[in-house]
Amino acid sequence: QVQLVESGGGLVQDGGSLSLSCAASGRTLSMYIMGWFRQAPGKEREFVATISRNGINTEYADSVKGRFTISRDNAQNTVTLQMNSLKPDDTGIYYCAAYLTISAYTTTRSARTYNYWGQGTQVTVSS
């Protein structure tokens, strides 16, 4: 199985940027669809972005489209979420997730699909 560790969270002002990283160990990340999810206080976990195994296909939540970019480096076993123009509504714990699949081009927004999760990293955007 794969172990995931997120990093890069922190406190940033409205309009600022952060880059989150998810490092994988245990198995090669190239076998997994990868996703980022977030959970704000008192709210359910929600989808943010996903990327296919080969990195060609991506999907984003409407709330982050045009501001966030998901990418992956299978050789380095890492996935990155670049977050620009951050807003206070982006505040929450951000989780990296992985889904083992044979499909190289598929993405998925469903949290229930993902097999493995990191421990999360806190992102706080101040107004």
Side-chain angles (χ1 to χ4, degrees), residues 88-102:
D89 283 350
D90 295 317
T91 293
I93 300 174
Y94 282 69
Y95 298 91
C96 173
Y99 169 52
L100 182 65
T101 180
I102 62 172

Side-chain angles (χ1 to χ4, degrees), residues 12 25 30 34 39-40 49 51 54 58 65-66 73 75 96-97 99 111 120 125:
V12 64
S25 61
S30 63
M34 298 302 298
Q39 188 166 18
I51 187 166
N54 58 16
T58 58
K65 202 171 293 183
D73 185 337
C96 173
Y99 169 52
V125 184

Side-chain angles (χ1 to χ4, degrees), residues 33-124:
I33 295 171
M34 298 302 298
W36 284 96
F37 293 78
R38 67 187 181 188
Q39 188 166 18
K43 294 187 177 181
E44 293 186 353
R45 189 173 300 188
E46 65 174 359
F47 165 76
V48 175
T50 178
I51 187 166
S52 60
R53 283 178 50 201
N54 58 16
I56 291 177
N57 293 322
T58 58
E59 286 188 69
Y60 297 91
D62 289 344
S63 59
V64 307
K65 202 171 293 183
R67 300 187 296 122
F68 290 11
T69 302
I70 187 172
S71 61
R72 67 190 298 159
D73 185 337
N74 287 338
Q76 296 295 321
N77 255 17
T78 58
V79 177
T80 299
L81 184 68
Q82 178 64 42
M83 306 186 295
N84 299 327
S85 302
L86 282 162
K87 307 173 182 179
D89 283 350
D90 295 317
T91 293
I93 300 174
Y94 282 69
Y95 298 91
C96 173
Y99 169 52
L100 182 65
T101 180
I102 62 172
S103 172
Y105 292 88
T106 302
T107 56
T108 179
R109 296 170 172 249
S110 173
R112 286 175 287 186
T113 302
Y114 288 85
N115 308 105
Y116 305 100
W117 294 82
Q119 83 290 347
T121 185
Q122 177 71 45
V123 171
T124 303

